[in-house]
Amino acid sequence: AQSVTQLDSQVPVFEEAPVELRCNYSSSVSVYLFWYVQYPNQGLQLLLKYLSGSTLVKGINGFEAEFNKSQTSFHLRKPSVHISDTAEYFCAVSGGSNYKLTFGKGTLLTVNP
Amino acid sequence: GAGVSQSPSNKVTEKGKDVELRCDPISGHTALYWYRQSLGQGLEFLIYFQGNSAPDKSGLPSDRFSAERTGGSVSTLTIQRTQQEDSAVYLCASSRDSNYGYTFGSGTRLTVV
């Protein structure tokens, strides 16, 4: 079985500040890792994914994440956030023959002027 | 189509009525998923269709829930005798193969009164 823990339910930051949203996972098999963003009243949009290869993954809107196998983490970072980044962010994991995505509870990122 | 289309976007129904939620996946995507998003519960897997294989129904919460996928394309999620605890956003997603990351629709917000 797999599980995902997003360590912060809410993260408030000021515009142009850096941000890190934390995600830890547990799995008994090799994993694929994903970050999704959900803007108000919209579906989830894929930000980035780790399938294999380089552990530093770059996604859309200037976000990146680093896969750390020893720490079972996949933290999401952005060096300078904008007001428009205000949204809920979900970390998800799948792996092996398990095609289902297991999601974390989400982190609400609020960017203040 | 260009994206995953869900209808209706909003549905208000009386307790005890049946509802049908529709999902049109991206053309050519063989995998289709239904998830439920509710406050405090995060994203819950409901059901998975892959090509002509038997669907994985392991996430359906009760026998009041059922889903079908006709011709390997459009899917309908049916909830019979709706209850207030069924109120949630029902999200459909599709992918061209498993473990590649899904494309989500905007969801159907179901309110049972």
Side-chain angles (χ1 to χ4, degrees):
Chain A
Q2 293 148 345
S3 67
V4 177
T5 302
Q6 291 185 242
L7 296 157
D8 305 294
S9 60
Q10 297 186 54
V11 173
V13 294
F14 288 110
E15 193 174 19
E16 298 183 4
V19 71
E20 178 179 82
L21 306 183
R22 296 180 292 169
C23 172
N24 285 89
Y25 69 91
S26 67
S27 176
S28 57
V29 297
S30 296
V31 296
Y32 304 116
L33 293 154
F34 307 85
W35 275 99
Y36 284 84
V37 60
Q38 186 176 34
Y39 299 103
N41 299 314
Q42 295 187 27
L44 279 73
Q45 179 182 3
L46 182 64
L47 267 182
L48 49 78
K49 60 183 180 283
Y50 171 78
L51 302 180
S52 65
S54 173
T55 57
L56 182 62
V57 180
K58 294 189 183 295
I60 61 172
N61 301 339
F63 284 93
E64 64 181 33
E66 185 156 19
F67 170 55
N68 188 319
K69 188 175 181 180
S70 62
Q71 297 185 5
T72 60
S73 68
F74 190 56
H75 301 332
L76 182 71
R77 301 184 182 100
K78 186 169 183 178
S80 176
V81 293
H82 303 290
I83 299 282
S84 59
D85 292 322
T86 294
E88 188 141 27
Y89 292 79
F90 292 91
C91 182
V93 62
S94 69
S97 61
N98 185 358
Y99 42 79
K100 303 172 197 175
L101 280 181
T102 300
F103 286 87
K105 297 285 190 185
T107 298
L108 179 61
L109 174 65
T110 304
V111 181
N112 298 300
Chain B
V4 178
S5 178
Q6 291 188 247
S7 60
S9 55
N10 281 284
K11 176 72 176 178
V12 180
T13 190
E14 292 180 353
K15 179 181 172 182
K17 300 283 189 183
D18 298 351
V19 294
E20 285 189 352
L21 312 180
R22 178 187 168 101
C23 173
D24 278 282
I26 292 173
S27 178
H29 279 194
T30 58
L32 186 148
Y33 314 79
W34 284 96
Y35 280 78
R36 180 169 70 175
Q37 185 177 25
S38 49
L39 284 174
Q41 297 296 322
L43 280 144
E44 302 172 77
F45 167 80
L46 296 177
I47 189 168
Y48 162 71
F49 296 91
Q50 172 61 53
N52 296 319
S53 302
D56 177 350
K57 305 179 182 180
S58 61
L60 296 178
S62 77
D63 59 7
R64 296 186 295 105
F65 288 73
S66 63
E68 62 177 21
R69 188 178 185 191
T70 53
S73 181
V74 172
S75 177
T76 303
L77 177 68
T78 301
I79 309 173
Q80 296 178 310
R81 305 180 303 281
T82 51
Q83 304 295 313
Q84 287 185 329
E85 61 262 28
D86 299 334
S87 296
V89 176
Y90 289 82
L91 292 166
C92 176
S94 69
S95 67
R96 68 183 193 205
D97 56 42
S98 303
N99 291 329
Y100 195 74
Y102 310 164
T103 300
F104 280 88
S106 297
T108 294
R109 182 176 297 277
L110 176 66
T111 304
V112 182
V113 298

